[in-house]
Every structure is written in C-alpha cells, then in structure tokens.
Amino acid sequence: MGNSMGIYVAYYIAITILFIFVGKCKFCIYPRVGSSAIGGSDTEKRQSAFFVVVSSFLLILILGFRSEYNGLDLHNSLGTGYFYFYDIINKDSFLEILQNFGKKKYANFEIGFVLFCKFIGTLCSNHQIMLFASALVSVVPVGYYIYKNSKNAWLSMMVYMALPFFGPAYFSAIRQGIAIGFVVYSYELIKRKKLIGFILVILLASTFHSSAIVTLVAYPMYHFRVDRESLMIGGLVILGAVFLLRIPLFLVLSRIVDEDAQMTVSSAVNLFLLLTLLYILCVAFKKQQDDNMRGSVNLFWIACAAQSFSGISNMAGRVAWYFMPVLIVLIPNLVVDMQIKEKVIRKPAICLVGILAGIIGLAVLRFDTIAAAYPYVPFWR
C-alpha cells in the first residue's frame, strides 16, 4: 500500500460501490441519484446525504491518517513546517499568542489558523489531531456543497479529487485548504443572496489564508447576468486580452498588492489553456435559463483569468483555486443535463467522465511534488 496508489484506488472503488448500493441500481450510476436540493424525492435526498457523508468521512480518514511524509509543508527540509509551529503555538497561552503574533513568531501564519491550532492543541497536542481537524474543516463544506447542488454526487466526488488544488492544498498547504473550505461554503450564501453572511465567511477565510480576500468579487460576479453569446465571445476575448497583457498587468497589480512580488516562469500556461477549453464547453452546454449554472460559469471564468497569470506568478495560480471548486458541481450537472435523445447513452457518458476524472486525479496525486501524496504513508509506519 505504501509503495502504490492503492489507497486512492481503493477509495474510488469504495465510493463507486457505495453509490451504486444507495441508488439500488442494476447498472452504474443513475443520473438522478444525488439530486437532493434540486428537485429530488425524499428518498433521493436521503440517498445523497448518506453517500456524501460516508464518502467525505472516508476522505477525511485518508487525509487525517497520513504521515508527515505526505505533504511537503508538514515537516520540510529545514526542520520547520506545520508540525514544528503547531508545537510552538501550543507552548504559548492565548494571551501570549496575541502578544507575539505581530512579531512573526509563528512564521507567516494568519491569526485565524494560529488560534485554530491553539484550540485544537488544548484538546490534544498530537499532530494527527491537527491533520484530522484541518481535513474536517476543508472537506465538510465541499460535501455540503455537493449535497445541495450536484445532480450526481459520485461524479462530483471524482471531479473534486481531480482538480489541480486538491493535492497541494489538502496534503501540504493546509491553511489554504481550510480557506477554500470556507469559500466553498460561501457559494451557497451567494446563491441565496446572503450578502452579510457571505462577507463574514470570506473575512473568516482570510484569517486562515490572506489570499482568500480576493473572493469578495465572487458575489457580484455570480449575479452578473449575461447571455450565452456574450459569455462565449466576450469572455474569450477578455481572457485573451488578459493573457496577452499579463506581464504589464502583473507589474501594475503587484505594486498595489505586494511591492516585492517577483515574476516566475513555469509551464502553468498549459493549465490555463485547458481551463479555457473547459470554459468553452461549459458555456456551450449550459442551460440557458439556469441561474445557478450561469453564476457558476461566471465564477469559473475568474479561475481562468487568474490562471492566465500563473505562468509568471505562483500566487495567481493559488488565487484560481478559490474559484475552481464550482467545477465539482458544474461538470456533473452539465453531463446530466446534456440534451441526448437516447437517455441510455447518458449513463455511460457519466461513467466515462467519472473514470477520466479518476485517472486525472491519480496522475496528479502521483506526480505532484508539493502534495507528496505518493507513496501514501500512514502515520503509524
């Protein structure tokens, strides 16, 4: 198990069997299972809730039982990292933490995460408790988001683990993983037009990772109304312009946000092109009158725009992570709602997309050096 991808393959198999079981279906993955809050029957709601709870719990176990070798930032080569500072934080009282916070005693950790570590440490100072607590706060909001919005919960879980942020944020950059959890919860507040609640949740997220403050733009962007043609043509034209002008735009924005911001060169432009292609597909296949889908596509456009800078700025790619989770619901709903004459084709289509997402997820976890998710090593080994 420690020398293979077995733990992740086992998870995929387990949630697939679970989904088929709760749906009581003879052939793989009926589209309407998991439709909970979007018109499903009471039985479907219970099925979806059960599936999401169990699959989220299993994922939390995987993240919580991992050792310090799975996650570059848990215990880095300098001898510091999350575990190191977790111990330092728990040696200080709450008052000492507030007094020492401005002195950068706890690295670059934001106050919310420092207090979070201290609270967890008062219950138990064991390192695994911190990993379990971080996984819980990161994964549960995503499960709730899937339950409330997805038309196929199994496919949502498969897409979830295939997204670029999953490995780095949940295995290594756990402060941002928690911040992403809060941001995903805020999607529901945006949909229900709970502006004050949304602002408060984003402010809370920014106390775990300061970059989360940029997601305040999500509220007006989600409710921005534009027709399909404008989304397609206008969205692509602006994305193209942003990409072509990314260097001068970066220089201007860096002076506003961070005077010491440095340009870096990477191959992240490939992900930008892939996301842009996915944006085209989302616009082309989305339901014209579906406000939730329109809003989700709007948010995904921000992810594409932020990703256009990632070839010259690592932080830009991490900003994109806050807007990518809409794909967890957007892709399954697009597949389920496809206008296919023969409904029997829809089931294999859902299975095919899920399998593809699973393969991508395994590949990302296998080769991501930041996540260091391969080989998976449980803490007791």
Side-chain angles (χ1 to χ4, degrees):
M1 187 75 73
N3 296 318
S4 70
M5 300 297 289
I7 187 69
Y8 310 114
V9 174
Y11 177 77
Y12 286 147
I13 293 173
I15 65 172
T16 301
I17 294 174
L18 174 66
F19 194 74
I20 294 172
F21 173 75
V22 299
K24 298 179 181 179
C25 55
K26 296 179 181 179
F27 179 75
C28 204
I29 322 303
Y30 280 105
R32 292 303 296 176
V33 176
S35 58
S36 68
I38 41 180
S41 65
D42 289 341
T43 298
E44 288 172 329
K45 291 179 181 180
R46 288 193 294 269
Q47 289 173 335
S48 180
F50 180 75
F51 172 80
V52 169
V53 168
V54 175
S55 58
S56 297
F57 175 72
L58 292 176
L59 187 55
I60 291 169
L61 289 182
I62 292 174
L63 295 170
F65 279 131
R66 75 187 190 277
S67 75
E68 63 183 30
Y69 300 105
N70 294 126
L72 186 64
D73 291 343
L74 296 187
H75 189 77
N76 60 35
S77 59
L78 299 177
T80 60
Y82 280 107
F83 287 165
Y84 173 81
F85 286 106
Y86 180 70
D87 292 335
I88 291 179
I89 289 168
N90 284 292
K91 290 177 182 177
D92 294 344
S93 66
F94 279 104
L95 181 58
E96 288 173 327
I97 287 174
L98 296 177
Q99 291 173 339
N100 293 325
F101 184 74
K103 301 175 184 177
K104 300 294 183 181
K105 182 178 180 180
Y106 315 113
N108 62 335
F109 293 173
E110 289 81 357
I111 187 63
F113 182 74
V114 173
L115 294 176
F116 172 79
C117 288
K118 179 60 181 177
F119 175 75
I120 298 301
T122 59
L123 302 178
C124 181
S125 60
N126 186 281
H127 292 166
Q128 296 308 129
I129 299 299
M130 184 191 73
L131 294 186
F132 267 107
S134 299
L136 186 71
V137 180
S138 301
V139 173
V140 168
V142 177
Y144 178 73
Y145 178 57
I146 291 172
Y147 169 71
K148 294 293 289 185
N149 297 279
S150 178
K151 294 182 179 180
N152 191 285
W154 172 80
L155 186 51
S156 286
M157 293 301 297
M158 300 298 282
V159 171
Y160 178 29
M161 294 182 67
L163 293 180
F165 70 82
F166 179 84
Y170 287 179
F171 281 85
S172 184
I174 57 179
R175 288 183 297 128
Q176 191 164 10
I178 294 174
I180 289 172
F182 286 122
V183 170
V184 171
Y185 175 73
S186 78
Y187 292 166
E188 194 65 23
L189 299 176
I190 297 174
K191 187 176 73 173
R192 293 186 292 176
K193 296 184 178 181
K194 303 290 186 180
L195 178 58
I196 302 301
F198 164 77
I199 292 174
L200 292 176
V201 169
I202 297 304
L203 291 177
L204 177 60
S206 67
T207 68
F208 283 80
H209 203 280
S210 58
S211 62
I213 198 68
V214 301
T215 56
L216 286 173
V217 73
Y219 192 93
M221 192 65 177
Y222 181 93
H223 294 292
F224 181 68
R225 293 183 176 274
V226 63
D227 57 40
R228 190 196 302 271
E229 184 177 348
S230 298
L231 270 175
M232 183 68 78
I233 299 175
L236 290 177
V237 168
I238 297 174
L239 280 178
V242 170
F243 179 74
L244 292 174
L245 299 173
R246 64 191 183 282
I247 294 179
L249 285 173
F250 173 79
L251 294 175
V252 172
L253 292 173
S254 64
R255 288 174 184 158
I256 297 173
V257 179
D258 186 353
E259 294 181 357
D260 297 323
Q262 300 292 323
M263 284 195 296
T264 58
V265 179
S266 72
S267 59
V269 63
N270 297 329
L271 181 56
F272 165 69
L273 296 175
L274 179 61
L275 293 179
T276 301
L277 176 60
L278 194 53
Y279 172 78
I280 294 172
L281 295 175
C282 288
V283 175
F285 289 102
K286 81 175 188 68
K287 282 186 175 181
Q288 188 70 14
Q289 304 303 321
D290 191 326
D291 288 340
N292 187 36
M293 192 171 291
R294 172 191 49 75
S296 296
V297 171
N298 289 352
L299 295 186
F300 182 52
W301 183 91
I302 303 178
C304 295
Q307 190 66 37
S308 69
F309 290 94
S310 61
I312 58 174
S313 170
N314 292 329
M315 182 52 68
R318 297 182 71 161
V319 167
W321 292 355
Y322 294 114
F323 303 97
M324 287 184 189
V326 295
L327 292 176
I328 296 170
V329 164
L330 188 57
I331 290 177
N333 289 4
L334 285 172
V335 176
V336 170
D337 290 336
M338 283 191 305
Q339 299 300 314
I340 301 176
K341 292 182 180 180
E342 297 293 335
K343 290 186 178 181
V344 69
I345 300 177
R346 195 174 301 169
K347 297 175 188 177
I350 291 171
C351 293
L352 181 62
V353 174
I355 292 171
L356 179 61
I359 293 172
I360 293 173
L362 289 175
V364 171
L365 291 174
R366 171 64 178 83
F367 296 106
D368 193 315
T369 55
I370 297 176
Y374 174 89
Y376 181 85
V377 181
F379 75 91
W380 59 82
R381 295 187 60 176

